[in-house]
């Protein structure tokens, strides 16, 4: 059987059927996939890890995704907005520690107050860092005009996960209404690309009802969209969400971790020069999850620089690591983590995906 995995790995491109076989590889066979991904990673992008200092701006969200702990319908959490002074402190921290880039992530809101606040934070990051910090936004689905405003203010990367590329599955994990519209999400991705952002998307792995075919299609979807960046990780159940009712049907946690690592490795093989994040959700299911992701092809780490007092309230899923830490702790931990994975942190650079300016093959 591992002969078959080795044989498939010789191919330059993978069909859906091949991807399904690779995703079904057992632990021993998976090692072959991880090794190949590590080789490709070191050949095409080296062992540098780029950092993105992450601010979780607010956990107020207009959406009601059935899997997410900060969904509108969860009345069991305290809602917060990081204030201007705290945002400024985080920016100074990112400058001083030479993180190179920041990510502003937030629950999704579409009112003018939110849109102009994000815009002014983007301008502030540019001004305080003298243009030296790169900016990624992850603030959900917005009007094309809004994406333009934020781009013109200085943001140049955007992360909007498709969550799953399967239309039917999308509506099993989201309410079926106008704010959770699969086609709108696709249009948002296209708008972001058109405006000129480096485009990032991603999916959750191990969702209830999800099949290996779905995951293979997710990989092909990202390849076809020709993304520059990917953030994906395991689905982690949260007790205050409707999807929690399926908790007993999920793949065991270690299997979800292994599958997520395989997804990362396969995407690295398919898209050799893009940026792939090693996500926190992986670590919530396995203590060494994020370093294993770096070994399997990921090259981005996102130290959380949100003020510690808010951390417990940005609980998208349970057991989220680092909720009791302050910014400095997270950064030191990530440095050690990168070292253990045999990687070096690259300071003070944007670390943009090399894919963006490359000619599609
Ligand atoms: N498990 C894993 N990831 C989750 N996200 C939201 N809820 C969960 C969960 N329960 C992810 C989604 C979203 C991102 C901000 O967090 O993919 O896009
Ligand atoms: Fe809001 Fe994002 Fe959570 Fe959905 S996944 S409820 S959009 S924060």
């Amino acid at each position: 059987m591992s002969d078959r995995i080795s044989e498939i790995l010789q191919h330059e491109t993978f069909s859906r059927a091949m991807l399904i076989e690779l995703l079904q590889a057992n632990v021993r066979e998976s090692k072959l996939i991880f090794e190949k991904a590590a080789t490709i990673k070191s050949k095409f992008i080296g062992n540098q890890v780029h950092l993105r200092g992450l601010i979780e701006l607010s956990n107020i969200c207009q959406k009601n995704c059935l899997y997410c702990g900060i969904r509108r319908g969860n009345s069991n959490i305290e809602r917060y907005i990081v204030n201007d002074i705290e945002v400024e402190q985080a920016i100074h921290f990112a400058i001083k520690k030479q993180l190179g880039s920041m990510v502003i992530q937030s629950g999704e809101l579409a009112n003018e107050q939110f849109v102009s606040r994000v815009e002014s934070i983007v301008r502030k990051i540019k001004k305080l860092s003298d243009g030296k910090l790169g900016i990624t936004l992850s603030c959900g689905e917005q009007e094309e005009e809004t994406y333009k405003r934020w781009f013109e203010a200085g943001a140049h990367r955007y992360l909007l996960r498709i969550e799953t590329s399967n239309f039917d599955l999308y509506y099993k994990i989201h309410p079926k209404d106008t704010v959770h519209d699969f086609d709108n999400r696709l249009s948002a991705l296209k708008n972001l690309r058109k405006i000129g952002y480096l485009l990032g998307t991603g999916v959750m792995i191990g969702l209830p009802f999800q099949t290996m075919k779905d995951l293979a299609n997710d990989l092909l979807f990202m390849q076809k969209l020709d993304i520059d960046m990917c953030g994906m990780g395991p689905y982690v159940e949260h007790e205050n969400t409707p999807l929690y009712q399926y908790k007993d049907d999920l793949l065991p946690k270690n299997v979800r971790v292994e599958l997520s690592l395989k997804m990362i490795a396969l995407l690295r093989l398919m898209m050799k020069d893009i940026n792939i994040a090693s996500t926190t959700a992986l670590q919530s299911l396995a203590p060494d999850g994020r370093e294993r992701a770096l070994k399997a092809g990921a090259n981005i780490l996102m130290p959380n620089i949100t003020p510690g007092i808010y951390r417990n309230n940005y609980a998208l899923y349970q057991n989220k690591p680092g909720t009791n830490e302050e910014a400095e702790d997270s950064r030191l931990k990530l440095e050690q983590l990168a070292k253990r994975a045999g990687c070096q942190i690259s300071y003070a650079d944007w670390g943009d995906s090399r894919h963006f300016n490359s000619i599609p093959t």
Side-chain angles (χ1 to χ4, degrees):
M1 179 63 192
S2 48
D3 286 352
R4 173 68 186 145
I5 296 297
S6 306
E7 195 262 313
I8 300 176
L9 287 173
Q10 301 297 320
H11 290 249
E12 255 312 300
T13 54
F14 303 133
S15 65
R16 184 195 297 140
M18 287 174 181
L19 287 171
I20 294 172
E21 279 189 74
L22 292 167
L23 287 167
Q24 283 168 334
N26 64 29
V27 173
R28 196 169 40 84
E29 295 160 347
S30 295
K31 288 219 174 77
L32 299 173
I33 305 175
F34 299 147
E35 277 165 20
K36 176 101 195 226
T39 310
I40 292 294
K41 179 185 157 189
S42 87
K43 184 167 163 202
F44 283 82
I45 56 168
N47 69 349
Q48 301 275 310
V49 174
H50 302 288
L51 300 179
R52 317 279 180 238
L54 171 69
I55 301 189
E56 293 163 336
L57 190 62
S58 172
N59 64 354
I60 303 174
C61 188
Q62 66 186 2
K63 286 206 167 158
N64 229 353
C65 308
L66 303 179
Y67 44 83
C68 177
I70 67 170
R71 64 197 298 272
R72 190 181 68 219
N74 182 11
S75 52
N76 221 349
I77 53 165
E78 224 179 286
R79 303 285 166 170
Y80 73 84
I81 304 177
V82 179
N83 70 35
D84 288 343
I85 295 169
E86 291 158 337
V87 168
E88 214 161 292
Q89 280 167 352
I91 300 171
H92 285 302
F93 181 86
I95 297 168
K96 188 165 140 221
K97 302 293 177 181
Q98 304 198 304
L99 301 187
S101 283
M102 286 182 73
V103 179
I104 309 291
Q105 186 170 64
S106 181
E108 186 181 303
L109 287 177
N111 58 49
E112 174 55 29
Q113 195 188 0
F114 178 75
V115 171
S116 62
R117 174 134 203 265
V118 171
E119 183 180 6
S120 72
I121 291 172
V122 170
R123 289 195 195 280
K124 188 169 275 176
I125 295 173
K126 285 290 161 189
K127 191 166 163 219
L128 292 180
S129 73
D130 216 3
K132 292 208 172 75
L133 284 174
I135 303 172
T136 308
L137 293 181
S138 180
C139 300
E141 266 166 69
Q142 302 286 341
E143 297 291 326
E144 191 178 343
E145 259 323 293
T146 302
Y147 286 152
K148 268 194 202 142
R149 271 171 72 179
W150 291 345
F151 188 75
E152 278 155 19
H156 77 292
R157 314 182 192 109
Y158 205 103
L159 190 64
L160 182 69
R161 292 186 177 183
I162 190 70
E163 314 295 359
T164 170
S165 63
N166 177 333
F167 184 89
D168 293 329
L169 180 56
Y170 193 86
Y171 288 111
K172 289 191 176 125
I173 62 167
H174 296 101
K176 195 156 194 167
D177 61 25
T178 46
V179 266
H180 303 84
D181 188 293
F182 184 77
D183 292 327
N184 285 350
R185 206 155 179 92
L186 286 181
S187 309
L189 286 167
K190 303 231 159 87
N191 287 339
L192 289 163
R193 155 69 38 82
K194 192 170 76 187
I195 291 165
Y197 284 98
L198 272 81
L199 185 62
T201 194
V203 294
M204 283 179 286
I205 298 148
L207 286 162
F209 315 112
Q210 192 176 42
T211 63
M212 294 296 160
K213 185 176 164 197
D214 291 331
L215 289 171
N217 282 334
D218 289 342
L219 290 169
L220 294 168
F221 170 87
M222 293 190 268
Q223 187 178 43
K224 185 156 175 242
L225 193 60
D226 197 29
I227 54 168
D228 306 293
M229 332 181 284
C230 175
M232 61 181 167
Y235 163 67
V236 186
E237 60 275 33
H238 188 300
E239 65 180 339
N240 294 323
T241 61
L243 274 201
Y244 195 67
Q245 63 185 299
Y246 304 110
K247 67 178 193 315
D248 297 331
D249 307 331
L250 299 174
L251 292 170
K253 291 185 176 164
N254 61 334
V255 178
R256 261 182 276 163
V257 170
E258 192 76 10
L259 196 53
S260 302
L261 295 172
K262 264 190 266 185
M263 286 288 283
I264 289 174
L266 293 175
L267 188 65
R268 173 59 69 208
L269 295 178
M270 295 164 73
M271 304 192 76
K272 299 180 172 54
D273 56 0
I274 65 168
N275 279 343
I276 304 179
S278 169
T279 53
T280 326
L282 265 169
Q283 198 187 332
S284 77
L285 293 191
D288 58 352
R290 279 197 292 183
E291 68 191 72
R292 283 163 73 193
L294 291 180
K295 287 187 186 157
N299 68 324
I300 301 286
L301 285 173
M302 308 207 297
N304 195 336
I305 60 172
T306 311
I309 49 166
Y310 297 122
R311 300 280 182 97
N312 285 323
N313 290 323
Y314 205 84
L316 304 169
Y317 43 83
Q318 286 170 331
N319 274 331
K320 193 174 164 217
T323 44
N324 289 317
E325 294 166 8
E326 284 290 349
E328 180 64 15
D329 307 324
S330 307
R331 202 181 70 96
L332 289 175
K333 279 198 180 149
L334 289 188
E335 264 196 36
Q336 288 158 1
L337 188 159
K339 208 177 268 172
R340 285 197 301 274
C343 297
Q344 253 175 12
I345 291 187
S346 168
Y347 285 104
D349 77 8
W350 285 15
D352 277 349
S353 156
R354 297 185 187 180
H355 187 72
F356 189 56
N357 289 319
S358 68
I359 298 153
T361 46

